[in-house]
Amino acid sequence: MNAEVAAATAPEKKEFWRWQENTWFDESKNWKDAKIITCGIDVGSVSSQAVIVCDGELYGYNSMRTGNNSPDSAKNALAGIMDKIGMKLEDINYVVGTGYGRVNVPFAHKAITEIACHARGANYMGGSKVRTILDMGGQDCKAIHCDEKGKVTNFLMNDKCAAGTGRGMEVISDLMQIPIAELGPRSFEVDEEPEAVSSICVVFAKSEALALLKAGYTKNKVIAAYCQAMAERVVSLLERIGVEEGFFITGGIAKNPGVVKRIEKLLGIKAVDTKIDSQIAGALGAALFGYTLMQKQGAKAA
Amino acid sequence: MIANYGYKDGSGEYYISIDTDKCIDCAAERACLTACPKNMFEIITDDYDDEVAWVKKECTRALAYDCAGCKPAAGYTSLPCASACTPGAIKHSW
Ligand code: SF4
Ligand code: SF4
């Protein structure tokens, strides 16, 4: 057995899939100056985010791994940012829950699907030119079309299997024993681009990856084949709804250049750049929905 | 909004598409609800506060099997859901 095969089949000691959890807030502003504070909480199957929006502008967020249950994940995600900025739940005017655990966000005033929230978040992050959105989530993948205001006009979700999702990438990360953040860059360190792995199921893909290692592929080449397979898979999803310019990728996999660059190559379109963490798009969209709802309520009361 | 419910797998693409803009003022009195022998449709209030039809979540992963009884191979010339929806909101991809 060669060293690479031995490494890939050895008992897993380290959690290579662990991605960085992070908290951020805009230090140039003070939330106490805001008239309306809204919050979006996205409880996804793999990660959870809480976003604070002050008067319709992104103020801060916290992103972490989803825990054993949705209510606790929502509470912990929100506590992570509130503690950092000295905010209390009663300071927040409106909370919107989204994501797969959206109906289990205990303090949410409303639940909105992640499809609408990702479109709204992408519209904020990428501007009104965004028309096609690919959300590569933890356990599903969505292709969304929206108008210039971020309202969904067409969508398609694939949640039947985990291939082409963040969870699929985590499996490969652990299998290869390479930290998840390194997979993308390493997928380009190959002499020539390999064929995509043929399996579309994570379970079979795992055995296919091992077979490739045994056949003499380097780890980098297996990762490249994987990234290509994921790209081909999501592109076929996107093609069903039609891809327009103003293409934006949300979700954790947007941070993996190995997949993103291959998607761009297959589509012949470059994704819109953003400085905001792609993983918060859903929670950001939820908080922005909350802001609009508060404004509507204010207008009614006036 | 065009909402596509379903999946793609090794055997093909199985999507039911609903043009929800047509559901807002449904001219067929929500006929989809009673037309489907598998009871797949439901009226929900969507994210934009419109009342529209959707395919129940538990049905979306098995459309190839669940709809098989209404397809030409089973002797049908038209789908009960699509025929009942006179506004033409429902389409199948297979
Ligand atoms: S699918 Fe057709 S019948 Fe059903 S509510 Fe919509 S327009 Fe009406
Ligand atoms: S094809 Fe038959 S089972 Fe499928 S949605 Fe239409 S009426 Fe229901």
Side-chain angles (χ1 to χ4, degrees), chain B residues 18-33 41 43 51-54 81 84-90:
Chain B
I18 302 181
D19 182 346
T20 59
D21 292 339
K22 295 185 172 153
C23 299
I24 297 168
D25 298 308
C26 175
E29 293 176 5
R30 311 291 189 194
C32 57
L33 299 183
F41 299 95
I43 303 296
E51 290 199 348
V52 301
W54 82 330
C81 51
C85 175
T86 47
I90 301 175

Coordinates of all heavy atoms in Angstrom, one line a residue, chain B residues 18-33 41 43 51-54 81 84-90, ligand 1:
Chain B
I18 N -44.2 25.3 -11.4 CA -45.5 26.0 -11.2 C -45.2 27.5 -11.5 O -44.3 28.1 -10.8 CB -46.0 25.8 -9.8 CG1 -46.3 24.3 -9.5 CG2 -47.3 26.6 -9.6 CD1 -46.8 24.0 -8.2
D19 N -46.0 28.1 -12.4 CA -45.9 29.5 -12.6 C -46.8 30.2 -11.5 O -48.0 30.3 -11.8 CB -46.4 29.8 -14.0 CG -46.3 31.3 -14.3 OD1 -46.1 32.1 -13.4 OD2 -46.3 31.7 -15.5
T20 N -46.2 30.5 -10.4 CA -47.1 31.0 -9.3 C -47.8 32.3 -9.5 O -48.8 32.6 -8.9 CB -46.2 31.1 -8.0 OG1 -45.2 32.0 -8.2 CG2 -45.6 29.8 -7.6
D21 N -47.3 33.1 -10.5 CA -48.1 34.3 -10.8 C -49.5 34.0 -11.2 O -50.4 34.8 -11.0 CB -47.4 35.1 -11.9 CG -46.0 35.6 -11.5 OD1 -45.9 35.8 -10.2 OD2 -45.1 35.9 -12.3
K22 N -49.7 32.8 -11.9 CA -51.0 32.4 -12.3 C -51.9 31.9 -11.2 O -53.1 31.9 -11.3 CB -50.9 31.3 -13.4 CG -50.2 31.8 -14.7 CD -50.2 30.8 -15.8 CE -49.7 31.5 -17.0 NZ -49.1 30.6 -18.0
C23 N -51.2 31.5 -10.1 CA -52.0 31.0 -8.9 C -52.6 32.1 -8.1 O -53.6 31.9 -7.4 CB -51.1 30.2 -8.0 SG -50.3 28.8 -8.7
I24 N -52.0 33.3 -8.2 CA -52.5 34.4 -7.3 C -54.0 34.7 -7.5 O -54.7 34.7 -6.5 CB -51.7 35.7 -7.5 CG1 -50.2 35.4 -7.2 CG2 -52.2 36.9 -6.7 CD1 -49.2 36.4 -7.6
D25 N -54.4 34.7 -8.8 CA -55.9 34.9 -9.0 C -56.3 33.6 -9.8 O -56.8 33.7 -10.9 CB -56.1 36.1 -9.9 CG -55.7 37.4 -9.2 OD1 -56.2 37.5 -8.0 OD2 -55.0 38.2 -9.8
C26 N -56.2 32.5 -9.2 CA -56.4 31.2 -9.8 C -57.8 31.2 -10.5 O -58.9 31.4 -9.8 CB -56.3 30.0 -8.8 SG -56.8 28.5 -9.5
A27 N -57.8 31.0 -11.8 CA -59.1 30.9 -12.5 C -59.7 29.5 -12.5 O -60.7 29.3 -13.2 CB -58.9 31.5 -13.9
A28 N -59.1 28.6 -11.9 CA -59.5 27.2 -11.9 C -60.0 26.8 -10.5 O -60.2 25.6 -10.3 CB -58.4 26.3 -12.4
E29 N -60.2 27.7 -9.7 CA -60.7 27.4 -8.3 C -59.8 26.4 -7.6 O -60.4 25.4 -7.0 CB -62.2 27.1 -8.3 CG -63.0 28.3 -8.7 CD -64.5 28.0 -8.8 OE1 -64.9 26.8 -8.4 OE2 -65.2 28.9 -9.2
R30 N -58.5 26.5 -7.7 CA -57.6 25.6 -7.0 C -57.8 24.2 -7.4 O -57.8 23.3 -6.5 CB -57.7 25.8 -5.5 CG -57.6 27.2 -5.0 CD -56.3 27.8 -5.2 NE -56.1 29.1 -4.6 CZ -55.1 30.0 -4.8 NH1 -54.2 29.7 -5.8 NH2 -55.0 31.1 -4.2
A31 N -58.1 23.9 -8.7 CA -58.5 22.6 -9.1 C -57.3 21.6 -8.9 O -57.5 20.4 -8.9 CB -58.9 22.6 -10.6
C32 N -56.1 22.1 -8.9 CA -54.9 21.2 -8.7 C -55.1 20.4 -7.4 O -54.6 19.2 -7.4 CB -53.6 22.0 -8.7 SG -53.6 23.3 -7.4
L33 N -55.7 21.0 -6.4 CA -55.7 20.3 -5.1 C -56.5 19.0 -5.2 O -56.1 18.0 -4.6 CB -56.4 21.2 -4.1 CG -55.7 22.5 -3.7 CD1 -56.4 23.3 -2.6 CD2 -54.2 22.3 -3.3
F41 N -50.4 18.6 -4.1 CA -50.4 20.1 -4.1 C -51.0 20.6 -2.8 O -51.8 20.0 -2.2 CB -51.1 20.6 -5.3 CG -50.5 20.2 -6.6 CD1 -51.0 19.1 -7.3 CD2 -49.4 20.9 -7.1 CE1 -50.4 18.7 -8.5 CE2 -48.8 20.6 -8.3 CZ -49.3 19.5 -9.0
I43 N -51.9 24.7 -1.0 CA -51.8 26.2 -1.2 C -51.1 26.8 0.0 O -51.4 26.5 1.2 CB -53.2 26.8 -1.3 CG1 -54.0 26.2 -2.5 CG2 -53.1 28.3 -1.5 CD1 -53.5 26.4 -3.8
E51 N -50.8 33.9 -2.1 CA -51.3 32.5 -1.9 C -51.1 31.8 -3.2 O -51.7 32.1 -4.3 CB -52.8 32.6 -1.5 CG -52.9 33.1 -0.1 CD -54.2 32.7 0.5 OE1 -55.1 32.2 -0.2 OE2 -54.4 32.9 1.7
V52 N -50.3 30.8 -3.2 CA -49.9 30.1 -4.4 C -49.9 28.6 -4.1 O -49.8 28.1 -3.0 CB -48.5 30.5 -5.0 CG1 -48.5 32.0 -5.3 CG2 -47.4 30.2 -4.0
A53 N -49.9 27.8 -5.2 CA -49.7 26.3 -5.1 C -48.3 25.9 -5.0 O -47.4 26.6 -5.6 CB -50.4 25.6 -6.2
W54 N -48.0 24.9 -4.3 CA -46.6 24.3 -4.3 C -46.7 22.8 -4.2 O -47.8 22.3 -3.8 CB -45.7 24.9 -3.3 CG -45.8 24.4 -1.9 CD1 -46.9 23.9 -1.3 CD2 -44.7 24.4 -0.9 NE1 -46.6 23.6 0.0 CE2 -45.3 23.8 0.2 CE3 -43.4 24.7 -1.0 CZ2 -44.5 23.6 1.4 CZ3 -42.6 24.5 0.2 CH2 -43.2 24.0 1.3
C81 N -53.2 16.8 -13.3 CA -52.9 18.1 -12.7 C -52.9 19.2 -13.7 O -53.5 20.3 -13.6 CB -51.6 18.0 -11.9 SG -50.2 17.4 -12.9
A84 N -56.4 19.9 -15.2 CA -57.3 20.6 -14.3 C -56.9 22.1 -14.1 O -57.7 23.0 -13.9 CB -57.3 20.0 -12.9
C85 N -55.6 22.4 -14.2 CA -55.1 23.8 -14.1 C -55.3 24.5 -15.4 O -54.4 24.6 -16.2 CB -53.7 23.7 -13.6 SG -53.0 25.4 -13.5
T86 N -56.5 25.0 -15.6 CA -56.8 25.7 -16.9 C -55.9 27.0 -17.1 O -55.7 27.3 -18.2 CB -58.3 26.0 -17.0 OG1 -58.7 26.6 -15.8 CG2 -59.1 24.8 -17.3
P87 N -55.5 27.6 -16.0 CA -54.6 28.8 -16.3 C -53.2 28.3 -16.9 O -52.4 29.2 -17.3 CB -54.4 29.4 -14.9 CG -55.6 29.0 -14.1 CD -55.9 27.6 -14.6
G88 N -53.0 27.0 -16.9 CA -51.7 26.5 -17.5 C -50.5 26.8 -16.6 O -49.4 27.1 -17.1
A89 N -50.7 26.7 -15.3 CA -49.5 27.0 -14.4 C -48.6 25.8 -14.2 O -47.4 26.0 -13.9 CB -50.0 27.5 -13.1
I90 N -49.1 24.6 -14.5 CA -48.3 23.4 -14.1 C -47.7 22.8 -15.4 O -48.3 22.5 -16.4 CB -49.2 22.3 -13.4 CG1 -49.8 22.9 -12.2 CG2 -48.4 21.1 -13.1 CD1 -50.8 22.0 -11.5
Ligands
SF4_1 S1 -51.6 25.4 -10.0 FE1 -53.2 26.0 -11.3 S2 -55.1 25.2 -10.4 FE2 -53.5 25.2 -8.8 S3 -53.7 27.2 -7.8 FE3 -52.2 27.4 -9.4 S4 -53.4 28.2 -11.1 FE4 -54.8 27.3 -9.7

